[in-house]
Amino acid sequence: MPKAYWKSLAILATVLLSGWYLFPSYRFYRLPREKQQELRDRRNPLLNRILNLGLDLQGGIHLLLELQTDKLPDDTPETLREAIDRAMEVVRNRIDQYGLSEPLIVRQGDKWIVVQLPGVKDRAQAKDLIGRTALLEFRLLDSDDVPEAVINKAREMGLTAARLRPGKMPKEIAALLPAGTELLAGKESAFYVVKASAALTGAGLANARVEMGAHEFSGASPHVSLEFNPEGAKRFADLTEANVGRRLAIVLDGVVQSAPSIRSRIPDGHAIIEGNFSPEEAKFLKSVLQAGALPAPLEIVEERTVGATLGDDSVRAGVLAGAIGLGAIFLFMAIYYRWSGMLANLALVLNLVLLLAAMAALHATLTLPGIAGIILTIGMAVDANVLILERMREEVRLGKSPRMVVDQGYDKAFSAILDGNLTTIIAAVFMFQFGTGPVKGFGVSLMLGLAVSMFTAIVVTHTVYDLWLSHRDVQKLSV
């Protein structure tokens, strides 16, 4: 089979895959706003497959949190850095439970955290979620295995960590469990049946750290070392003595983070959690344990609500600007380059479809700067097509055959297209890596858009020419 056929099959597969990624977004955004909000409230799985809109397009809440550093034991840079890292871990953990797919949580300066919650309407609930004190608990597992009937019922009801809160278990689940136990969700979609009351809370924990090197139980893998305060150490010693061989769940804000086994009595308030952790997993668990007791309170010092009306206007303005720009480009290309211009127009449409599909597949967030990035990449895609077509015109004027015109046109234009796009992609990578909020959104759409435009301008249109010339006796190219 000729090479062009394989390329055409690959392009067709890419288009079909793009349609598969875009269809959930098409279904969701065609629904009335009331129905969309209903799906958000029910944490419908469809939300995990749609192209998310940023705070500037769908509205939401913007908060600036300040860590009260005067409550810290000292003001050394290391203490400040560790405290803000722990505070961010707490905020991120709580917002994950809120069910938001694309929240923005970034550090700003030495003691501030910016939180943006797109689509959140209940301001009081969001503030309460972020502002309340973290709760770290150690709870004994009732048994190692969760009854199959309980798991099936939980999945049938669509229960997640956000809905399985301690003390608020659905009656249908409670009826299937032993008295004095609760069903809690873990971070890895697992379920745990734990005792309803906590054996120990984070108030008894003094410190947690990651340790490397050989150990009796964990071997050479990283493990997390715990240190309890005197009162916590005594309670932990009693707890471990009475429950050797059982599993102890570490629960932060109602979500089971880990459930290690108790191997022996631990009398001195020092314990380890082992489990073949990677260094990153061990560091995360350490942060979770430390987050149970914030080193200093967080205060909301700035709060802004972005209304949905502004989002609607912005979307309409962006769509209108894009439609007018595309229409003008299509008309110019069709008149000036004739058949080849129409093919370039087809590549532009495909460019837009593939770009939106890539953003949906990568769970990127579409913002107003992101729309600006898309429009900019469409302009650069036109530029790439113009470069190719002008080179082809030069070859036509030299009297070459259509096959030579196409091959020479693409060969001569390729280096100029690659150089121009590559330098811009490098700039977009830096915007994505070091930027925040709108700058990052612009960088994402620009980076993806340029990669897709090179694919459509160089690969797709060239393949169409190859197929066309291999099936028809073309005497003169329409360009």
Side-chain angles (χ1 to χ4, degrees):
M1 183 179 285
K3 192 176 179 181
Y5 285 100
W6 289 111
K7 285 186 178 178
S8 62
L9 288 177
I11 293 169
L12 180 62
T14 304
V15 172
L16 293 176
L17 187 63
S18 300
W20 187 79
Y21 275 115
L22 279 180
F23 185 66
S25 301
Y26 173 77
R27 280 180 57 199
F28 181 79
Y29 289 113
R30 277 180 58 85
L31 296 172
R33 280 194 172 276
E34 295 76 17
K35 185 66 177 175
Q36 292 180 15
Q37 189 59 43
E38 182 183 335
L39 293 179
R40 292 184 192 280
D41 294 340
R42 289 163 47 197
R43 313 285 193 261
N44 191 290
L46 180 65
L47 298 176
N48 299 325
R49 299 175 55 199
I50 64 172
L51 178 59
N52 295 293
L53 301 182
L55 190 71
D56 50 359
L57 293 182
Q58 65 170 322
I61 295 176
H62 170 101
L63 300 172
L64 180 62
L65 311 176
E66 181 180 283
L67 188 71
Q68 303 303 294
T69 53
D70 56 330
K71 305 292 177 57
L72 293 173
D74 58 66
D75 58 354
T76 61
E78 185 178 349
T79 301
L80 286 173
R81 185 172 58 253
E82 185 177 345
I84 199 73
D85 288 345
R86 287 165 60 181
M88 287 185 65
E89 189 60 43
V90 173
V91 172
R92 184 175 291 109
N93 187 65
R94 293 173 183 177
I95 291 176
D96 285 348
Q97 294 172 44
Y98 201 78
L100 296 177
S101 53
E102 281 297 330
L104 175 69
I105 306 165
V106 295
R107 176 178 174 175
Q108 189 172 79
D110 292 332
K111 58 178 181 179
W112 295 278
I113 301 172
V114 173
V115 177
Q116 292 187 349
L117 308 175
V120 172
K121 309 299 180 190
D122 192 338
R123 187 173 58 182
Q125 186 180 2
K127 288 171 64 177
D128 175 66
L129 181 76
I130 294 173
R132 62 184 166 83
T133 304
L135 179 60
L136 175 65
E137 299 173 301
F138 296 86
R139 294 191 183 209
L140 286 168
L141 260 65
D142 183 68
S143 63
D144 287 347
D145 299 320
V146 182
E148 193 67 26
V150 175
I151 295 177
N152 292 337
K153 191 65 180 180
R155 288 177 176 161
E156 177 188 327
M157 297 174 67
L159 296 180
T160 61
R163 298 180 64 188
L164 274 173
R165 311 302 302 159
K168 298 180 180 178
M169 196 169 46
K171 294 179 181 176
E172 297 87 340
I173 296 294
L176 299 173
L177 294 175
T181 63
E182 286 185 323
L183 183 71
L184 293 181
K187 292 184 69 68
E188 305 299 330
S189 303
F191 292 104
Y192 298 86
V193 177
V194 301
K195 295 294 183 184
S197 59
L200 194 63
T201 68
L205 189 65
N207 195 14
R209 59 181 179 273
V210 176
E211 293 182 347
M212 306 291 290
H215 188 275
E216 179 183 359
F217 298 120
S218 63
S221 301
H223 54 267
V224 180
S225 174
L226 307 180
E227 181 182 346
F228 291 90
N229 58 32
E231 183 181 351
K234 182 177 183 307
R235 295 186 61 183
F236 195 65
D238 296 340
L239 173 67
T240 52
E241 182 179 18
N243 297 283
V244 172
R246 299 184 62 180
R247 294 174 68 191
L248 186 65
I250 300 169
V251 185
L252 180 67
D253 285 344
V255 179
V256 177
Q257 307 291 330
S258 176
S261 297
I262 301 173
R263 295 180 182 275
S264 62
R265 179 177 183 269
I266 302 174
D268 58 357
H270 292 83
I272 69 157
I273 302 174
E274 47 84 20
N276 293 323
F277 298 123
S278 67
E280 293 75 18
E281 290 170 335
K283 185 177 178 183
F284 174 77
L285 182 56
K286 180 212 72 169
S287 299
V288 166
L289 290 165
Q290 290 180 329
L294 275 173
L298 284 170
E299 183 179 338
I300 298 175
V301 295
E302 181 186 336
E303 173 189 345
R304 284 187 282 123
T305 301
V306 180
T309 303
L310 176 63
D312 287 343
D313 291 345
S314 303
V315 171
R316 278 195 292 271
V319 170
L320 181 61
I324 293 174
L326 273 178
I329 291 170
F330 285 179
L331 190 61
F332 171 79
M333 295 293 287
I335 293 174
Y336 196 70
Y337 293 108
R338 291 169 288 182
W339 188 90
S340 295
M342 296 291 288
L343 178 58
N345 287 340
L346 178 65
L348 288 182
V349 174
L350 187 60
N351 183 79
L352 187 60
V353 171
L354 295 183
L355 174 56
L356 293 177
M359 294 183 72
L362 296 175
H363 303 291
T365 298
L366 184 62
T367 61
L368 269 181
I371 293 177
I374 292 173
I375 295 173
L376 178 60
T377 58
I378 289 175
M380 296 187 72
V382 175
D383 186 50
N385 282 289
V386 168
L387 277 174
I388 294 170
L389 296 177
E390 286 299 324
R391 294 292 178 273
M392 290 170 65
R393 275 189 167 183
E394 290 176 1
E395 302 303 318
V396 169
R397 283 195 286 271
L398 293 175
K400 295 182 179 178
S401 67
R403 168 57 68 185
M404 289 293 291
V405 166
V406 171
D407 291 343
Q408 291 292 314
Y410 277 91
D411 287 345
K412 292 182 178 179
F414 178 76
S415 61
I417 296 171
L418 181 63
D419 291 346
N421 285 281
L422 194 58
T423 51
T424 311
I425 286 176
I426 292 172
V429 167
F430 279 94
M431 281 192 282
F432 174 77
Q433 182 65 34
F434 300 107
T436 59
V439 175
K440 196 165 189 170
F442 181 78
V444 170
S445 59
L446 185 60
M447 192 165 43
L448 291 175
L450 290 174
V452 170
S453 71
M454 288 181 67
F455 173 74
T456 55
I458 296 173
V459 178
V460 174
T461 55
H462 199 172
T463 303
V464 173
Y465 277 121
D466 286 343
L467 289 174
W468 183 47
L469 293 176
S470 63
H471 285 82
R472 290 180 178 275
D473 183 19
V474 180
Q475 299 298 320
K476 184 179 179 182
L477 208 59
S478 175
V479 60

